Amino acid sequence: MKLRLHLFVLCVIIIFLVYNMANFQHKQTTLEAKSHPFDTVTVSDRDAVKVPQKAEARIGYLPHGIVESNSDMDLKPLWLTTSARSKKPKQNDNFLIAIAAGINQKKTVDAIMKKFLPENFTAILFHYDGNVNGWNDLPWSKSVIHIAASNQTKWWFAKRFLHPAVVSIYQYIFLWDEDLEVDNFSPRRYLNIVRSEGLEISQPGLDSKLSEIHHRITVRKKAGTFHSVYFDRRVSRANKKCSREGPPCSGWVEGMAPVFSKSAWQCVWHLIQNDLIHGWGIDYKFGYCAQGDRTKNIGVVDSEFIVHRGVQTLGGSTITKDGIRGKNAKPLGQKAAQIQRSRGRAPGLDMRTKIRRKSRSELRDFQKRWDRAAREDRTWVDPFARSRRKRKNRNPQ
């Protein structure tokens, strides 16, 4: 009798141990599934854990309230200091300026930063020459973001570091070149004009006497606050190719000093190709990224104007795209020629020649890619095709 009792107790103990081991393994499997939700998830698994219908929009199994889908470029202190505690709360208006800069243009960039940083701008310098330490002596240097990559252009930097989710808190994004003088420019007044006029994509007007001009449509008009870049007659008279609608005659700003609204930048970022280096041609498509009527929401602000010095970086030539020069062009050309002679090369056979050839090839490839995409996307409708047909009918050859 005692033997049977002992066997019964032993069986109970064994059953208890087996049950606990099975239960422990089940819990471990469940925890591993939650820790690695993307390994293998079947329909039965979803039913077992009772995943709600909205789970398709979830990030893994994170609760919605913990998801941080956007970011910013603001620098954060490693510890809380007295000065950090005393800082005023952030303003609702946030703006971003990003410049591809080399150490040789330090003085010009310094002048730009002194104008922008007091107006609640976050600033990023893209160092295409890799020289970051050379800026440390400037008082504002530690308050801006420095990103270095040798021999890269601002479009390369913008594609990789200005993703729309990262810059979504900024109402306007200035993506400027380094050779711009801002003596007659106020960021605050400029933004007030852009907002009041509803400009999605804009740029400051260029001083015609001091600037290197690539396209007449960007020249500042002395009368008025801004002008819409929609078929400018003075441009048509200066350039016979502008007897049509379209860039660089209308619906267009130059890639030298563009200013984008948040919604426009989200589109432009997707327009930038990964292999785009010099950016030729991309500004011709900016009009497709402006919300609404591009005859009204793309413009050049005349009252806040700048000087485009036309300084060559990454190699250079002072001859502009349509042959128009400013006062700065001649001395810069002479300097470039002197440098080439000192190196034993003939003017015009420098690295810039190769760069310009690459730029033209890049423009052709970009246009081919655009044409192919337009053909293959059968649901896409060119929003400007109708207006082009109307103008063609009004101006028969």
Side-chain angles (χ1 to χ4, degrees):
M1 187 71 180
K2 290 183 178 180
L3 181 61
R4 289 182 179 179
L5 181 62
H6 290 161
L7 291 173
F8 175 77
V9 172
L10 182 61
C11 289
V12 171
I13 293 173
I14 291 173
I15 292 171
F16 178 76
L17 291 174
V18 170
Y19 171 79
N20 280 316
M21 290 177 62
N23 188 43
F24 176 77
Q25 289 180 348
H26 175 72
K27 289 181 178 179
Q28 286 294 110
T29 303
T30 304
L31 287 173
E32 288 180 3
K34 290 182 178 180
S35 301
H36 306 281
F38 301 109
D39 289 349
T40 53
V41 180
T42 63
V43 176
S44 59
D45 293 330
R46 290 176 180 271
D47 295 337
V49 296
K50 296 181 181 180
V51 180
Q53 293 181 352
K54 292 184 178 180
E56 295 298 330
R58 290 188 183 278
I59 306 298
Y61 289 97
L62 296 178
H64 288 298
I66 202 63
V67 173
E68 190 77 44
S69 58
N70 299 313
S71 185
D72 57 53
M73 290 290 186
D74 289 351
L75 299 176
K76 312 296 182 184
L78 290 176
W79 57 85
L80 193 61
T81 62
T82 305
S83 60
R85 292 193 195 98
S86 62
K87 281 185 178 178
K88 295 181 180 179
K90 258 193 175 178
Q91 302 178 26
N92 293 327
D93 295 337
N94 298 284
F95 315 107
L96 177 70
I97 180 168
I99 301 176
I103 195 65
N104 290 337
Q105 303 306 316
K106 184 176 178 180
K107 183 178 179 181
T108 303
V109 175
D110 182 33
I112 294 174
M113 289 300 162
K114 287 178 179 178
K115 287 260 186 175
F116 278 81
L117 291 177
E119 300 293 347
N120 199 39
F121 272 80
T122 297
I124 305 176
L125 290 187
F126 298 132
H127 299 278
Y128 59 78
D129 59 358
N131 189 339
V132 177
N133 293 334
W135 301 78
N136 290 341
D137 60 322
L138 296 175
W140 48 262
S141 179
K142 292 184 179 180
S143 65
V144 307
I145 298 169
H146 299 269
I147 301 175
S150 296
N151 294 327
Q152 302 303 314
T153 66
K154 73 175 180 182
W155 300 110
W156 184 92
F157 283 108
K159 183 65 175 180
R160 287 150 184 83
F161 299 104
L162 299 183
H163 188 280
V166 176
V167 299
S168 62
I169 71 164
Y170 303 107
Q171 280 70 46
Y172 290 93
I173 297 166
F174 291 62
L175 189 58
W176 280 17
D177 287 353
E178 60 182 334
D179 59 341
L180 305 175
E181 295 181 355
V182 292
D183 294 342
N184 298 291
F185 182 86
S186 166
R188 177 59 54 182
R189 290 197 298 266
Y190 184 92
L191 289 169
N192 289 340
I193 295 169
V194 166
R195 283 173 161 173
S196 63
E197 300 297 341
L199 298 179
E200 293 282 330
I201 302 175
S202 62
Q203 74 163 78
L206 300 182
D207 187 319
S208 60
K209 294 182 179 179
L210 300 177
S211 298
E212 180 178 283
I213 307 298
H214 292 173
H215 299 285
R216 295 291 305 175
I217 199 170
T218 61
V219 173
R220 172 204 178 207
K221 286 185 177 180
K222 294 183 179 180
T225 303
F226 85 106
H227 68 271
S228 174
V229 286
Y230 179 70
F231 197 69
D232 195 329
R233 291 188 180 278
R234 63 181 179 150
V235 176
S236 178
R237 288 193 296 268
N239 187 350
K240 293 181 179 179
K241 294 180 180 179
C242 284
S243 59
R244 57 176 174 79
E245 178 189 351
C249 314
S250 64
W252 178 84
V253 299
E254 195 170 359
M256 157 197 24
V259 179
F260 305 100
S261 69
K262 178 167 62 175
S263 60
W265 176 248
Q266 184 172 16
C267 173
V268 170
W269 185 88
H270 285 87
L271 178 64
I272 302 172
Q273 308 296 299
N274 283 324
D275 56 355
L276 184 72
I277 304 300
H278 303 290
W280 280 22
I282 188 175
D283 47 8
Y284 280 38
K285 304 299 182 184
F286 284 167
Y288 289 89
C289 290
Q291 302 293 323
D293 186 357
R294 71 169 178 172
T295 67
K296 298 179 180 178
N297 54 22
I298 302 180
V300 174
V301 176
D302 299 306
S303 59
E304 301 301 319
F305 60 96
I306 59 176
V307 173
H308 178 213
R309 295 171 56 216
V311 175
Q312 294 74 36
T313 55
L314 298 177
S317 172
T318 57
I319 299 176
T320 61
K321 295 178 183 178
D322 61 1
I324 302 172
R325 296 168 177 262
K327 288 185 177 179
N328 291 339
K330 185 175 180 180
L332 287 170
Q334 292 173 348
K335 183 177 180 181
Q338 290 172 0
I339 293 173
Q340 291 305 317
R341 283 194 293 270
S342 66
R343 294 177 179 175
R345 299 179 187 175
L349 297 179
D350 58 359
M351 186 61 68
R352 181 59 178 172
T353 302
K354 297 180 180 179
I355 292 176
R356 292 181 72 84
R357 288 174 181 171
K358 174 66 170 63
S359 299
R360 294 189 184 95
S361 174
E362 185 179 276
L363 175 58
R364 289 192 297 269
D365 292 343
F366 180 79
Q367 188 58 50
K368 288 178 182 178
R369 190 176 299 180
W370 177 278
D371 294 339
R372 182 173 65 251
R375 286 194 308 270
E376 294 175 353
D377 188 351
R378 297 186 177 182
T379 62
W380 180 75
V381 178
D382 188 341
F384 310 126
R386 183 178 178 183
S387 58
R388 280 196 291 266
R389 285 195 298 269
K390 284 183 177 180
R391 183 167 295 280
K392 186 176 181 180
N393 293 334
R394 287 197 298 265
N395 298 284
Q397 298 295 331

